[in-house]
Amino acid sequence: MLKEMRIDLNPSSLHKRHHVFVKFAISFLLLGLAFRLFVSDSIRFSSSIVETPPLVETNSITESPPLSPSSSSSLPAQAPSSGDLLANESQAFPNVAAECDIFTGDWVPDPSAPAYTNASCHEIEGHQNCMRNGRPDSGYLYWRWNPRDCELPRFDPGKFLDSTRNKSWAFIGDSISRNHVQSLLCILSQVEQAVEVYHDEEYRSKRWHFPSHNFTLSVVWTPFLLKADIFEDMNGVSSSEIQLHLDKLDETWTEQYKNFDYAVIAGGKWFLKTAIYRENDTVTGCHYCPGKNLTELGFDYAYRRALKTVLNFMTNSGHKAFIFLRTTTPDHFENGEWFSGGTCNRTAPFKDGEVDMKDVDIVMRDIELEEYEKAAPVGAENGVILKLLDTTRLSLLRPDGHPGPYRQFQPFAKDKNAQAQNDCLHWCLPGPIDSWNDLLMEMINRGIHQ
């Protein structure tokens, strides 16, 4: 037994036991450290789930602030991105611009009567008074424009007048602008009759006042928006080429522009006429001037210069107006033009895909969209609201809405086969152009609440 004891007390044996003990202690420590790290990581992982939950509804009141009585009982635990906010706003307000393009849609049958007739409105120009002039069909009156992704409210003349109290509106452009303002006047006349307070010598520019609302409505005739020397009578007969100053705005509208709180401005078909172009009071070219030995610059060159100059003036004038740039209006002449026997005898709208836009209208609308995209941000920086009133495509689908031969009074009263000049550009009143005012009011509502 003593011998065994001696063996046990041998130094080498003690060293070996000590070595085993150290290894055991180190292993224990490493195991403890690993366990701690595992637990710590688990805690952090668990914390990350609580702090950044997935974007799902939660009923936990500990992860959300107290709810107001009007709040939803389920709120996202993480703030939504701007895209999520737009999506949520679109669900709550289906008519907001981010959700619905009011210019993409269809004409749908509408059994309700027009807002006015030629008997209830006395502002209809003779050439657009299709009812009085004897147009035999009335089906063109019973359609409404229906955007595909939302409802377009009807124009409310009472609300419009209330919202424009003590304000001034102007329609600036050619005879289509005059056609449009007459449509608006007729709808507003169901609430209050306007008083004409001004007209120019040729009755092309006019101004009306609504005394109960202190609201002023103007139409300013300026077919090029630029300074132009026009040698044409009221019947469209020219004695010389138009001299168009591409670098000068027409003072007919610029001198009174700061009086307008709202302005609907548009170019148009006048740019397709033969014209000599001037810049810095020097002839630089022309459009459609054979035999003049001048450079053919094309109507598109002049139209772009005009819109660029106009929008630059409006967005940098210091006057903070609400501006609508209305796009070009297509005509529906078939089998000729206005001067060569063209007609428009259709009695129902086209469906989408049944008609193609003419090349000139494509060019003009593309220019309008491009110049608008450049000018809108500049206007926003200067406190000017600039909106695009894109009536081109919806108007393209309405070949039935023009006076046609009924621009004259009873053209076939004496001879059913009489040759009558057709108007396939302007619109009957009442008619499809009334829907433009529905669009205007919707755009005003959106502009105010954006």
Side-chain angles (χ1 to χ4, degrees):
M1 183 173 181
L2 182 63
K3 183 177 180 180
E4 290 178 358
M5 289 293 294
R6 281 198 298 268
I7 294 173
D8 291 338
L9 296 173
N10 186 290
S12 63
S13 176
L14 290 174
H15 176 74
K16 288 180 180 179
R17 290 190 176 187
H18 178 72
H19 184 68
V20 171
F21 177 79
V22 170
K23 283 185 176 182
F24 179 79
I26 292 174
S27 298
F28 183 81
L29 290 173
L30 289 175
L31 181 61
L33 179 61
F35 180 77
R36 182 176 181 181
L37 288 173
F38 175 78
V39 173
S40 176
D41 286 343
S42 298
I43 292 172
R44 282 198 297 270
F45 181 69
S46 177
S47 299
S48 69
I49 294 177
V50 174
E51 293 170 2
T52 312
L55 290 178
V56 294
E57 292 185 346
T58 175
N59 293 322
S60 171
I61 61 174
T62 61
E63 295 176 1
S64 303
L67 304 179
S68 67
S70 62
S71 299
S72 168
S73 60
S74 298
L75 296 177
Q78 180 175 332
S81 66
S82 59
D84 294 327
L85 288 173
L86 287 174
N88 292 338
E89 183 176 316
S90 297
Q91 292 172 5
F93 305 100
N95 284 341
V96 298
E99 174 68 17
C100 176
D101 174 9
I102 59 175
F103 305 114
T104 298
D106 306 279
W107 290 95
V108 297
D110 181 10
S112 58
Y116 61 93
T117 68
N118 63 326
S120 64
C121 179
H122 307 293
E123 296 294 343
I124 302 174
E125 189 170 313
H127 292 321
Q128 281 90 58
N129 199 335
C130 301
M131 290 179 173
R132 187 205 67 174
N133 292 344
R135 179 169 172 170
D137 64 310
S138 60
Y140 68 96
L141 298 172
Y142 297 96
W143 299 85
R144 65 179 175 84
W145 177 247
N146 183 46
R148 290 178 187 167
D149 298 323
C150 63
E151 288 295 323
L152 179 64
R154 287 190 179 278
F155 185 92
D156 186 325
K159 286 184 178 179
F160 178 87
L161 286 171
D162 287 342
S163 69
T164 56
R165 190 179 299 274
N166 302 319
K167 290 183 171 57
S168 176
W169 271 65
F171 288 72
I172 303 169
D174 58 16
S175 55
I176 297 294
S177 294
R178 189 163 65 247
N179 198 179
H180 189 184
V181 81
Q182 289 168 359
S183 166
L184 180 58
L185 275 167
C186 285
I187 298 175
L188 296 179
S189 69
Q190 307 313 300
V191 173
E192 181 180 1
Q193 290 289 336
V195 178
E196 185 179 311
V197 293
Y198 167 80
H199 63 78
D200 64 3
E201 185 176 347
E202 296 176 328
Y203 289 82
R204 285 174 161 169
S205 295
K206 292 184 177 183
R207 184 164 60 251
W208 298 266
H209 186 244
F210 292 77
S212 296
H213 295 82
N214 191 28
F215 168 55
T216 302
L217 180 61
S218 302
V219 59
V220 183
W221 187 75
T222 170
F224 291 102
L225 307 173
L226 302 173
K227 179 182 178 181
D229 303 317
I230 301 172
F231 307 95
E232 193 174 285
D233 63 19
M234 292 294 289
N235 295 317
V237 178
S238 299
S239 58
S240 185
E241 297 87 0
I242 295 166
Q243 304 289 314
L244 186 59
H245 301 261
L246 299 180
D247 54 348
K248 297 179 181 179
L249 293 173
D250 185 359
E251 293 181 354
T252 303
W253 70 272
T254 58
E255 288 187 349
Q256 50 183 320
Y257 171 66
K258 291 190 176 182
N259 298 327
F260 307 138
D261 299 296
Y262 294 80
V264 182
I265 195 159
K269 295 293 191 286
W270 278 74
F271 282 87
L272 303 179
K273 293 174 178 280
T274 296
I276 308 298
Y277 297 153
R278 292 177 174 271
E279 298 178 63
N280 296 320
D281 295 320
T282 302
V283 174
T284 56
C286 69
H287 170 58
Y288 193 64
C289 56
K292 291 290 185 180
N293 196 29
L294 294 174
T295 302
E296 172 63 44
L297 295 176
F299 75 90
D300 53 328
Y301 173 81
Y303 195 47
R304 188 179 295 279
R305 282 294 308 272
L307 286 186
K308 191 183 297 291
T309 304
V310 167
L311 295 177
N312 180 65
F313 169 79
M314 299 180 97
T315 55
N316 291 283
S317 67
H319 178 52
K320 298 180 181 180
F322 195 131
I323 305 165
F324 301 90
L325 174 63
R326 179 177 56 76
T327 56
T328 188
T329 302
D331 64 64
H332 291 96
F333 287 100
E334 297 184 63
N335 305 311
E337 296 297 328
W338 70 272
F339 54 84
S340 58
T343 59
C344 45
N345 298 323
R346 297 181 184 271
T347 57
F350 286 123
K351 293 180 180 178
D352 192 27
E354 289 184 342
V355 61
D356 294 325
M357 199 179 300
K358 294 179 180 179
D359 290 344
V360 293
D361 293 322
I362 292 174
V363 170
M364 296 185 84
R365 183 172 176 273
D366 284 348
I367 292 172
E368 290 158 352
L369 267 60
E370 290 166 10
E371 295 306 318
Y372 164 78
E373 292 293 341
K374 296 175 188 174
V378 178
E381 291 179 0
N382 295 330
V384 176
I385 300 174
L386 176 61
K387 298 291 182 181
L388 189 74
L389 179 60
D390 191 3
T391 57
T392 302
R393 292 190 180 280
L394 63 94
S395 300
L396 179 66
L397 301 178
R398 293 306 305 271
D400 57 321
H402 303 291
Y406 297 97
R407 66 184 299 273
Q408 297 106 353
F409 180 71
Q410 302 289 342
F412 305 113
K414 296 180 179 180
D415 181 359
K416 293 183 178 179
N417 298 315
Q419 296 295 315
Q421 187 182 54
N422 279 240
D423 181 355
C424 306
L425 175 63
H426 299 90
W427 303 95
C428 291
L429 295 177
I433 196 172
D434 296 326
S435 289
W436 295 8
N437 297 310
D438 298 340
L439 298 169
L440 271 181
M441 190 157 192
E442 179 68 4
M443 294 174 73
I444 294 169
N445 290 336
R446 292 181 177 188
I448 290 173
H449 296 102
Q450 285 178 351

